[in-house]
Amino acid sequence: SKTKTMGAYKYIEELYKKKQSDVLRFLFRVRCWEYRQMATIVRCQRPARPDKARRLGYKAKQGFVIFRIRVRRGNRKKQVGKGKTMGKPKNQGVNQLKPKRSRKVIAEERVGRRCPNLRVLNSYWVNQDSSHKYFEVILVDPQHEAIRGDA
């Protein structure tokens, strides 16, 4: 009988489907501690999840860049002086306002503003703790010869 073997990327993908497993919980905890010590936006040498990055279009070649970004979790507070919003009671909420866009979209926009010469290709979740979510954003340099040659 022929035994079925998984490739490396499939193996990583199956691991990430069970995020509550001891292995991944330990990995997330250690990595989250490491990410907390770093700046909000950091350029990565290589993706934390190579399988996910490749599925979203990343190639390990010149012209592709990966940035890790930290986005705050929780509701948004309306910026009004002394909590006075003026107007009708419907619009008087200050504290429990939910953001219109997802954390992922916010992360992509912030990295896109940091690197105006690059194009945001995609992004994916890598970690989270009580107060932050961490995403890795894939960017492409459209001026790079290695990328221009692909067209």
Side-chain angles (χ1 to χ4, degrees), residues 17-144:
K17 284 180 183 172
K18 299 179 176 68
K19 292 183 175 67
Q20 291 286 320
S21 67
D22 289 350
V23 173
L24 274 186
R25 282 173 65 181
F26 177 75
L27 187 68
F28 287 149
R29 194 164 68 239
V30 171
R31 279 187 179 166
C32 205
W33 177 86
E34 186 185 359
Y35 296 164
R36 269 197 300 269
Q37 316 308 314
M38 297 179 178
T40 306
I41 301 178
V42 179
R43 182 175 172 181
C44 310
Q45 292 297 317
R46 51 177 55 89
R49 298 177 62 181
D51 60 317
K52 186 73 170 173
R54 283 175 59 85
R55 268 182 284 144
L56 295 177
Y58 172 77
K59 294 273 185 290
K61 63 184 230 176
Q62 291 180 327
F64 280 88
V65 186
I66 290 201
F67 276 84
R68 187 182 316 107
I69 178 165
R70 178 170 68 212
V71 183
R72 282 200 78 87
R73 295 175 69 183
N75 298 333
R76 289 292 166 263
K77 186 172 180 180
K78 190 184 284 185
Q79 288 187 317
V80 286
K82 298 179 184 172
K84 295 177 184 172
T85 55
M86 312 298 183
K88 297 205 181 327
K90 180 190 184 302
N91 301 319
Q92 281 178 351
V94 173
N95 277 327
Q96 296 196 357
L97 304 175
K98 314 298 183 264
K100 295 278 190 290
R101 292 162 303 149
S102 69
R103 303 280 185 274
K104 185 171 180 269
V105 169
I106 292 169
E108 288 175 3
E109 286 177 359
R110 287 182 186 172
V111 174
R113 279 201 296 271
R114 162 71 73 89
C115 312
N117 61 321
L118 303 176
R119 301 278 187 279
V120 173
L121 179 63
N122 222 320
S123 66
Y124 53 92
W125 176 95
V126 283
N127 214 325
Q128 70 185 43
D129 59 15
S130 60
S131 50
H132 295 99
K133 277 195 177 190
Y134 299 89
F135 295 95
E136 282 188 355
V137 182
I138 306 166
L139 299 111
V140 185
D141 183 359
Q143 277 84 41
H144 200 287

